[in-house]
Amino acid sequence: MTRLWLLGFGFFGINTIWPLYNAYVPIFLKSFGLSSFVVGGYMTIDNVLALVLSPYVGALSDQTVTKLGKRKPYILIGAPLAAFFFFLIPTFWTKHNFLAVTFSIIIMNFSMALFRSPLIALMPDTTPSQFRSQANGIINFMGGLGAMLAYLSGRFLYETSPVLPFFVGSVLLLLSNTLVILFVKEPTFKAVKSELSVKETFKKSHAELLENLKEVVLSEEKSLLFMLVSVFIWFTGFNALETFFTSYAKFYLKLPEQIATGMLGVLSLAFMLFAVPAGYIGARIGRKRSIILGLIITAACLFTGTLVASKISGEAIIKPFLVLFIVGGTGWALTNVNSLPMVLDMAPERKLGGYTGLYYFSSMLANIVSPPLTGLIMDLLGYKVLFNFAAIFVVCASLIMILVKRGDAVRRI
């Protein structure tokens, strides 16, 4: 259990970075006169790189043999690079240097992709099936704590200087991953060095992902396929909100972007506080029921948000939206905490890593599709459609989840 909490610091660090990135980078890019569609394209860079690199880095880390272990070398390389270039994004923006901002965004996202997959791989490696919802709850709690601190403190830091929240986020990323390096002991199983070249390993890792995907699609029992489709759809909806809420608040609700960031912090706070209980609820009433309940709660909050925004704007909308974000955060926790363990419990033991890859393939593909699609819709129909757009996807995901028949915890006597 102590190891899980320490491992959670890695997710804490990552989740101090992404909320600030999603909250402020679209605003930075919009200042260069880009359309929402193009801004959405920029916001897919992290997921395109993750989709291309994660299977390869995961496979490469499986074959890595060092005194530090299999996963830690990637953290040691990726985290410092990501922290440095993350800090450079607003630094170059204040100088209105578009090319330098673009370069920093690309290298920062490349660096994050280098170590995210090895860090994630530590959880299923160390946790038995029946405890994975609880373990994922702990890890998501730490991630939620990082996101909450980023959103809430970022609001005040941004008022002092747009560079300051990025500097603090970079420092926290470095410190949290240093704790993982120093205090998380990797499992003591032997890694086997591959005789394959880098190019061959890259091809093999993606071939295995495609093979696993083909196996899922052609399987007679379609539960995992429905699960992955549902994951794709709900992440498409949630990413729309995560990417464009600050723009929605600034240009439609007439709120300063730092206020919007603070509101997202309340969502992260609710998620964080409910992450661990959500894992236990999933173990108690079933993961599928918990996920569907969470999706229904989230969709209800989104539809209500559209109704409220049509009647109120400016500072008067802050309190109603805070209530919706608190309730929505609990719904998102019920869904998100229980989804990966459900996928893993449909996996053969020998393919835990491969099925983890399928889960993240679905979520990353959604995060590639969502920003430009959302941006295009908002270019055509305006910012007012954001909440309804996200809600429709969440509702569709809940309907598809009804078709899933497997994936609840395997109870061992």
Side-chain angles (χ1 to χ4, degrees):
M1 188 65 72
T2 301
R3 179 167 54 184
L4 281 172
W5 284 102
L6 288 168
L7 177 60
F9 276 102
F11 293 83
F12 171 89
I14 288 174
N15 280 280
T16 60
I17 293 293
W18 291 125
L20 296 171
Y21 182 85
N22 288 328
Y24 294 119
V25 170
I27 301 293
F28 296 165
L29 293 172
K30 199 73 177 174
S31 71
F32 293 108
L34 304 180
S35 69
S36 295
F37 175 74
V38 174
V39 170
Y42 266 83
M43 299 305 288
T44 68
I45 290 173
D46 61 321
N47 291 288
V48 171
L49 287 171
L51 191 62
V52 172
L53 289 178
S54 288
Y56 168 64
V57 174
L60 199 62
S61 69
D62 286 338
Q63 301 161 10
T64 298
V65 181
T66 73
K67 291 182 180 180
L68 287 172
K70 298 164 60 174
R71 320 295 184 188
K72 289 182 181 179
Y74 300 90
I75 300 173
L76 276 172
I77 295 169
L81 280 173
F84 178 66
F85 283 97
F86 181 69
F87 167 69
L88 289 182
I89 293 171
T91 304
F92 287 127
W93 176 72
T94 59
K95 302 178 187 301
H96 211 68
N97 190 329
F98 176 69
L99 290 179
V101 168
T102 297
F103 178 77
S104 299
I105 287 172
I106 292 170
I107 301 301
M108 173 260 175
N109 281 296
F110 176 83
S111 303
M112 292 293 285
L114 282 180
F115 77 95
R116 185 164 49 181
S117 182
L119 181 66
I120 290 167
L122 288 174
M123 191 280 276
D125 280 347
T126 58
T127 309
S129 166
Q130 68 268 35
F131 299 120
R132 283 179 187 149
S133 279
Q134 295 92 320
N136 212 35
I138 291 171
I139 287 171
N140 276 278
F141 172 86
M142 293 298 290
L145 178 62
M148 179 200 70
L149 290 176
Y151 280 132
L152 295 180
S153 64
R155 168 190 171 182
F156 300 104
L157 294 171
Y158 188 88
E159 290 175 349
T160 302
S161 166
V163 177
L164 197 53
F166 285 73
F167 172 75
V168 173
S170 296
V171 171
L172 289 175
L173 179 66
L174 286 173
L175 290 177
S176 59
N177 280 283
T178 299
L179 291 175
V180 173
I181 295 293
L182 293 177
F183 298 112
V184 175
K185 186 177 179 181
E186 290 196 29
T188 56
F189 45 77
K190 186 178 180 181
V192 180
K193 276 193 172 180
S194 174
E195 299 299 325
L196 299 176
S197 67
V198 170
K199 183 178 180 181
E200 289 169 333
T201 301
F202 184 85
K203 287 183 176 178
K204 183 175 182 291
S205 64
H206 287 81
E208 288 175 353
L209 176 66
L210 292 175
E211 181 185 333
N212 288 333
L213 191 59
K214 181 180 178 182
E215 183 180 298
V216 169
V217 172
L218 297 179
S219 172
E220 290 185 13
E221 210 286 321
K222 300 295 185 184
S223 286
L224 182 55
L225 177 61
F226 290 136
M227 181 74 198
L228 294 175
V229 171
S230 187
V231 168
F232 169 80
I233 292 173
W234 80 56
F235 271 107
T236 299
F238 187 81
N239 186 265
L241 182 69
E242 190 176 40
T243 301
F244 284 106
F245 179 72
T246 50
S247 301
Y248 170 86
K250 182 180 179 68
F251 301 118
Y252 180 61
L253 300 181
K254 309 303 180 185
L255 293 172
E257 57 264 40
Q258 59 267 32
I259 297 291
T261 306
M263 294 166 73
L264 287 173
V266 171
L267 176 66
S268 294
L269 175 62
F271 176 89
M272 178 198 74
L273 293 177
F274 205 66
V276 175
Y280 283 93
I281 290 170
R284 182 65 181 258
I285 70 171
R287 293 166 183 162
K288 175 181 172 179
R289 290 179 181 176
S290 298
I291 289 170
I292 292 174
L293 176 61
L295 291 170
I296 291 171
I297 292 170
T298 304
C301 290
L302 289 168
F303 281 126
T304 304
T306 296
L307 180 62
V308 171
S310 68
K311 306 293 184 183
I312 310 171
S313 64
E315 292 188 3
I317 204 170
I318 294 176
K319 287 183 179 179
F321 261 47
L322 289 179
V323 173
L324 290 174
F325 277 21
I326 290 170
V327 178
T330 64
W332 182 237
L334 279 169
T335 298
N336 203 39
V337 166
N338 290 292
S339 55
L340 176 58
M342 195 168 183
V343 170
L344 291 175
D345 275 347
M346 297 187 211
E349 285 295 325
R350 61 186 177 84
K351 289 195 172 183
L352 280 177
Y355 278 54
T356 302
L358 288 178
Y359 174 85
Y360 285 101
F361 172 82
S362 298
S363 62
M364 287 185 293
L365 187 62
N367 294 341
I368 290 170
V369 170
S370 181
L373 177 61
T374 310
L376 179 61
I377 295 298
M378 292 193 304
D379 283 337
L380 295 173
L381 302 176
Y383 283 102
K384 64 182 179 181
V385 302
L386 178 63
F387 274 44
N388 277 347
F389 177 87
I392 289 168
F393 278 88
V394 172
V395 169
C396 290
S398 67
L399 295 175
I400 292 173
M401 271 302 301
I402 296 172
L403 302 174
V404 177
K405 305 300 181 186
R406 297 188 296 126
D408 273 306
V410 178
R411 299 187 180 275
R412 297 175 182 171
I413 299 173

